Amino acid sequence: MELIPAPRNVGAYGERFFELGPDTRLAAGAGTERTARWLRGTIGAATGFPLAPGDGGIRLSVHPTVTRDLGEEGYRLAVTPDTVHLVGGGPAGLFWGAQTLRQLLGPGAHRRAPLPGGQWRLPLTHIQDSPRFPWRGVMLDVSRHFMPKDGVLRHLDLMAAHKLNVFHFHLTDDQGWRIEIKRYPKLTEVGSWRARTKFGHRASQRWEEKPHGGFYTQDDIREIVAYAAERHITVVPEIDIPGHSQAAIAAYPELGNSDVIDTTSLTVWDDWGVSKNVLAPTDNTLRFYEGVFEELLELFPADAAAFSAFVHIGGDECAKDQWKQSPAVQARIKELGLTDEDALQAWFVRHFGTWLAARGRRLIGWDEILEGGSRADGTRAEATHAAGTRAPGVETADIGLPEGAAVSSWRGYQGGITAARAGHDVVMCPEQQVYLDHRQDDGADEPVPIGYVRTLEDVYRFEPVPPQLTEDEARHVLGTQANLWTEVMEDHARVDYQAFPRLAAFAEVAWSALPAPAERDFADFERRMTAHYGRLDALGVAYRPPAGPLPWQRRPGVLGRPIEGPPPNA
């Protein structure tokens, strides 16, 4: 069976089938309502069959024995000649099982209307399945290039089709602020539009000379969150602080270091890279962002979903030049009893970690939040594990993390290793392995080549858990995440190209119980991908074909930034 991601256990029984037809009924037990609704909306649309309520075909249920054996996200699927019984460990597990059922029906089940002459058969089988990691994420940057709401909803559907369950929503950066905050209307009136956009890498001299931008209204955000929840996907929002904040400073100049530069002259940044314009560490800035987060928490409520309490605060690539030059910032460092600008950033992060924790939320940030933290008097707070036991020889102040904070380890594995050893949860997303904006081949036709070559096989052999971690430390690895930064992805077709088919390989890494990287059967994965390309075609995904980019996917003459050689195992 050409299923992706590969299930844990599959039994196939002969050449017979269960046939769906216009009289096939759908019996939905308690706790299965979302999946029943989804099946009628997708399988029903693709087949033209109503899947009316009642016995005599497909039966959905949630059962504690599956929960006990396979967990909340596990499922069992049994197909006999007369019935299809799908049982989830919880509502999420049931939904992931429905995705498997859809794949078994063939590529046509991924269309929105029936094709003439279609046969709808399920092979007789028994499948038991559950995920390896609870956090199976995708980060989408909508700040560098805005993706309209319909594109985001489509992206969520593609995640669901691959059993990915955390959508990291990168909403703010130097190049654009994408979420409506009612108490600060200029964030979107000013901060959501830039005058022009660089085409290609930041060294390129090509520009698109027209305004670019857009934002999501609060009702748009509520819709996106609800749409994701229907598909058992948790949305983790990111508001980037204290760096990557030029769009916010352009809207509200008092947020910047006005004793160093004329912040009133700043505009939303139209270039790529790391802006030197960062937030000033004033009480006014703290109160401003507390107001932002107050509205954000209402839009992204914490509920029963496993990771709904998380809020991402960025924390990466905060240039310290202005802080070093600013008399006001140097006075602030002295006032707070801090040693230097790194410690000031750690103070900034800890402030919002404490603020979020008081409201029942958890801070997560890029691995730079590990840095800094020492006070001028040399005092240090000892790190603790989640269960409250001390992590021997590791101090929270040394790594700059507030208690309960989690780390997105992007600069390699080391940040995640350090955090896990200090008792903090980790999401592994090293840029050398799973930054899908990096190029897929070293051929001359690869569009806007960025970073290392990361082929489909490279992603398939990615291992999220570093071997340096002990078994107890490895329990802090919540899972893994693929990241899509959109500097050179101007629309959803370019996002599709960079994401697929590699995101299918990543989904298997995140879900399936694979052997060690060198022992993985990539030939079998490629065989299954042959069928999966048909599903992607039916879904309208503009993926990179195995033979290379199609003529309209190329970007001749657009400067990239390729890095030669294999990536370091950092």
Side-chain angles (χ1 to χ4, degrees):
M1 294 180 187
E2 290 80 13
L3 296 173
I4 291 178
R8 287 181 180 265
N9 300 107
V10 179
Y13 304 106
E15 301 297 322
R16 299 172 65 194
F17 297 90
F18 173 91
E19 295 211 24
L20 271 72
D23 297 326
T24 301
R25 295 188 174 274
L26 178 63
T32 71
E33 296 81 7
R34 282 185 183 178
T35 297
R37 187 161 54 240
W38 181 85
L39 280 169
R40 289 192 176 102
T42 54
I43 305 300
T47 62
F49 304 149
L51 300 179
D55 295 326
I58 302 172
R59 182 156 52 98
L60 307 179
S61 60
V62 172
H63 200 277
T65 59
V66 179
T67 314
R68 181 195 65 214
D69 297 339
L70 297 171
E72 290 279 341
E73 288 195 283
Y75 67 90
R76 291 190 178 116
L77 175 61
V79 181
T80 72
D82 302 314
T83 61
V84 176
H85 190 192
L86 177 58
V87 190
L94 187 80
F95 181 73
W96 305 131
Q99 296 291 345
T100 298
L101 187 153
R102 186 190 195 189
Q103 287 196 14
L104 288 172
L105 281 170
H110 295 74
R111 296 190 179 275
R112 298 185 184 183
L115 300 182
Q119 279 190 314
W120 302 103
R121 291 176 164 182
L122 289 168
L124 304 192
T125 186
H126 186 270
I127 295 174
Q128 291 193 105
D129 199 12
S130 61
R132 179 186 179 191
F133 293 109
W135 185 301
R136 305 179 302 280
V138 179
M139 190 285 304
L140 179 65
D141 165 24
V142 295
S143 296
R144 274 49 176 267
H145 277 101
F146 179 65
M147 181 177 285
K149 180 191 69 178
D150 285 352
V152 175
L153 301 181
R154 173 181 177 273
H155 186 77
L156 292 168
D157 280 331
L158 294 176
M159 286 181 60
H162 293 82
K163 298 185 174 74
L164 297 164
N165 70 335
V166 178
F167 177 46
H168 176 168
F169 205 8
H170 184 81
L171 288 163
T172 74
D173 217 297
D174 299 306
Q175 294 86 0
W177 184 284
R178 304 294 178 218
I179 181 170
E180 177 187 28
I181 303 296
K182 296 198 174 199
R183 73 186 71 185
Y184 304 128
K186 290 181 182 178
L187 286 173
T188 46
E189 290 172 2
V190 175
S192 69
W193 288 92
R194 59 178 179 263
R196 62 178 185 168
T197 295
K198 178 150 291 187
F199 197 48
H201 179 250
R202 59 180 173 268
S204 169
Q205 296 304 308
R206 298 180 65 173
W207 297 86
E208 187 177 38
E209 297 285 353
K210 68 177 183 180
H212 175 86
F215 67 93
Y216 309 103
T217 68
Q218 294 201 350
D219 281 345
D220 290 338
I221 293 292
R222 292 184 181 98
E223 180 183 357
I224 289 167
V225 170
Y227 194 87
E230 281 286 304
R231 287 145 185 82
H232 297 278
I233 295 171
T234 300
V235 185
V236 174
E238 180 181 352
I239 302 293
D240 220 331
I241 55 175
H244 287 294
S245 297
Q246 183 166 326
I249 298 168
Y252 290 92
E254 64 271 21
L255 297 173
N257 297 286
S258 55
D259 60 339
V260 176
I261 63 160
D262 178 11
T263 54
T264 63
S265 68
L266 292 178
T267 60
V268 178
W269 208 27
D270 60 12
D271 209 343
W272 311 133
V274 180
S275 169
K276 304 288 188 184
N277 295 300
V278 302
L279 297 175
T282 64
D283 288 341
N284 174 67
T285 299
L286 298 182
R287 300 294 87 77
F288 182 97
Y289 274 89
E290 287 169 4
V292 169
F293 284 119
E294 282 175 3
E295 292 195 26
L296 194 81
L297 298 191
E298 190 273 326
L299 295 170
F300 297 88
D303 54 26
F307 302 116
S308 61
F310 278 102
V311 175
H312 208 292
I313 57 92
D316 61 314
E317 297 179 325
C318 179
K320 307 298 194 302
D321 307 59
Q322 291 180 0
W323 286 358
K324 290 176 180 177
Q325 298 163 15
S326 165
V329 172
Q330 292 303 310
R332 183 67 153 165
I333 290 172
K334 185 176 181 181
E335 172 195 341
L336 295 170
L338 303 174
T339 54
D340 57 19
E341 294 77 21
D342 288 336
L344 180 64
Q345 180 174 345
W347 165 84
F348 211 111
V349 170
R350 281 198 300 273
H351 174 87
F352 284 100
T354 302
W355 188 92
L356 288 166
R359 289 152 182 82
R361 299 305 189 95
R362 290 185 66 185
L363 178 149
I364 184 169
W366 302 110
D367 56 50
E368 283 93 333
I369 68 172
L370 291 161
E371 298 167 358
S374 300
R375 295 176 59 85
D377 61 8
T379 59
R380 305 173 189 275
E382 292 175 335
T384 58
H385 288 284
T389 59
R390 184 177 300 176
V394 183
E395 296 176 312
T396 299
D398 282 339
I399 59 175
L401 276 182
E403 186 175 352
V407 169
S408 300
S409 188
W410 77 273
R411 290 181 294 179
Y413 289 99
Q414 190 55 53
I417 292 168
T418 300
R421 285 177 173 167
H424 290 271
D425 289 338
V426 176
V427 175
M428 284 294 186
C429 50
E431 67 164 330
Q432 301 88 347
Q433 311 298 331
V434 288
Y435 268 36
L436 299 187
D437 46 306
H438 284 207
R439 58 194 172 134
Q440 303 181 60
D441 190 86
D442 61 1
D445 288 334
E446 211 61 35
V448 200
I450 300 295
Y452 297 103
V453 172
R454 293 286 84 194
T455 66
L456 183 65
E457 182 172 0
D458 290 330
V459 174
Y460 190 66
R461 297 193 189 281
F462 164 60
E463 172 50 48
V465 179
Q468 298 95 318
L469 295 180
T470 67
E471 186 176 341
D472 284 343
E473 291 165 350
R475 290 193 183 100
H476 285 290
V477 179
L478 298 175
T480 184
Q481 180 172 291
N483 294 338
L484 287 159
W485 299 103
T486 61
E487 286 94 336
V488 298
M489 301 183 215
E490 67 274 13
D491 55 32
H492 84 261
R494 281 287 290 124
V495 173
D496 280 4
Y497 180 91
Q498 293 300 133
F500 291 100
R502 293 183 296 179
L503 197 61
F506 173 81
E508 185 147 312
V509 168
W511 177 278
S512 303
L514 298 177
E519 299 167 10
R520 293 176 189 172
D521 190 347
F522 180 68
D524 178 69
F525 178 77
E526 278 193 305
R527 178 189 64 78
R528 288 180 284 123
M529 274 303 301
T530 302
H532 200 65
Y533 286 121
R535 298 177 192 128
L536 296 179
D537 287 331
L539 288 165
V541 177
Y543 58 85
R544 181 189 187 275
L550 297 167
W552 51 89
Q553 293 174 322
R554 300 166 189 162
R555 297 291 187 275
V558 179
L559 185 67
R561 186 181 64 90
I563 304 175
E564 301 304 329
N569 190 21

